[in-house]
Each structure stands twice: as C-alpha cells, then as structure tokens.
Amino acid sequence: MRKPLIAGNWKMNTDSGSAAELAYGIAARADEFTSAELLVCPPSPYLALVRDAIGDAAVGLGAQNMYHEPSGAFTGEVSAAMLADIGAQYVILGHSERRHVFGESDEEVNKKTFAAYAANLRPIVCVGELLAEREAGKTAEVIRRQFEGSLASISEQQIRSTVIAYEPVWAIGTGKVATVEQAEEVHADLRKQLAACYNTSVAQTVRILYGGSVKPDNAAQLLGQANIDGALIGGASLKPDDFLAIAAAGVATVQA
Ligand code: 13P
C-alpha cells in the first residue's frame, strides 16, 4: 500500500507572516492526517521559517527547485546540500513552470535529480503535456520522453526514493482539471513504464501524484483512482482548510 502524499507547492506566494501562519495552520492539525504524508514546499527564503513553524508536527518540508552543482560561482542559485542542510527532505524538480517559463530541459532535470540523491533529498519529478500535445494525440509519447529523459540512468534504489508527479500543463492554475479517466490513464502508463524500466516491485512502490487544479471538491474522485497516490497542489495549498480537506480525501482512500 502506497501512503498518499499530499504536497503543497506554494510557488512564488506568501510573505514571511503568511508563510508562518499557513505552516502553523497545517501543523496544528497534522495529527488528524497521519495515514497520509503531508508536505509543504514554500519559497526558498521561507524554508527555515516554515521548518520552525512546523516544529515537531508530522509535516514534511520541500523546496521548489535547486541547481545541480554542489557549490561555486553560480550567482542566485541554491544547491541540494543547502536545502538538505536547512531541513528540507524533498525537492520539486522539472515543474512545468520551470520547463516552460525558464526553459529547463529533461537533461537538466536529470542532472538535478542526481544532485538531489547525492544530498539525500527525495526528488518529486514532474512531467506533463501541453494542451496542443494532448490535442495532437501525443500525450503518451510526451510523457514517455520526459520520463526517459528526466529519469535517465537512475538506479533501482534511487527510483524507490523518487516521487513522480503528473501535471498536465493545461490544467495548472486554469481551473481545468483533467478528467479522472485522463489522469488515471497517464498514471497507469507511468506505472507500466516503471515496471518496464525496473520491475513490478518498483512500479508498485513509487508514488505518482496528480497535479493541476486539485481542490477539495475534486480530490476524492482523483485520489480514489488506483494509480493516483497523492496530489501536488498549487492554489488550494495556500489555505490550510483547503489543503487539509484534500489531505482528508487522501486519508479516506487509505481507510476505504
Ligand atoms: P494549481 O493547483 O494551482 O493548478 O497548481 C498545480 C501545480 O502546478 C502544483 O505544482
């Protein structure tokens, strides 16, 4: 049984006050959701503050991006070791906004993935097709290519500590959610790809999250799918009640 992972990607939102408030709000009720794993990914400047606000509560800490080099003259960048040092356990890599706004390639995502393992960070590697690609019937091909490129040469042990997130680009921040059938189809394909590249045990272990306009009112249906193991939540992760309502839907799938 894969423990559902309910992850909030705060993106470039909050300030120090609202970040602490959001973290306190989630941490205060975290013990109601222990059959799921809760994770918050604040902007980098607030990681330490959010870590402190979480305290001993069962809420993980993740970053939204990093650079693949361990240190050096890379002005403006943050390394995996720095994130680990400050207490992060996870890092989101290859988010569609990184790919499409900042031009990140699968090759770069792959380098970052290796750097994350080297620092004992668990990567959440994102894949997802554009609307034009879906309409051209290329979804499966695009997802396969991103999977192969972003996760190239990753060992069985490394893939076991990796989370994959499927986020159709057209469903992010748009209010358009993929139908459960559309989401489940891609998730099932990703699991087949894990089985083909590794083995059935890996395919049954690695969690595949869905992201793209996940809200309290659609979470139960999405998380109820056999191959959807959690959610990567943008907008709805900025309100403790909404985030925790989605977590409750994750918990319900475990109890079902
Ligand atoms: P929204 O939930 O705002 O659509 O964002 C999804 C996302 O990009 C999470 O990483």
Side-chain angles (χ1 to χ4, degrees), residues 32-67:
E32 294 168 42
F33 303 92
T34 49
S35 1
E37 184 180 344
L38 305 183
L39 175 69
V40 292
C41 303
S44 296
Y46 304 138
L47 279 165
L49 171 159
V50 167
R51 174 201 61 202
D52 293 346
I54 291 169
D56 294 335
V59 181
L61 185 68
Q64 299 174 15
N65 180 39
M66 50 169 247
Y67 192 54

Side-chain angles (χ1 to χ4, degrees), residues 7 11 13 15 63-64 74 104 146 154 170 172 190 196 219 252 255:
K11 307 194 179 183
N13 294 301
D15 55 22
Q64 299 174 15
F74 303 103
E104 251 178 47
Q146 290 178 343
I154 280 165
W170 48 273
I172 297 177
L190 280 164
Q255 287 159 352

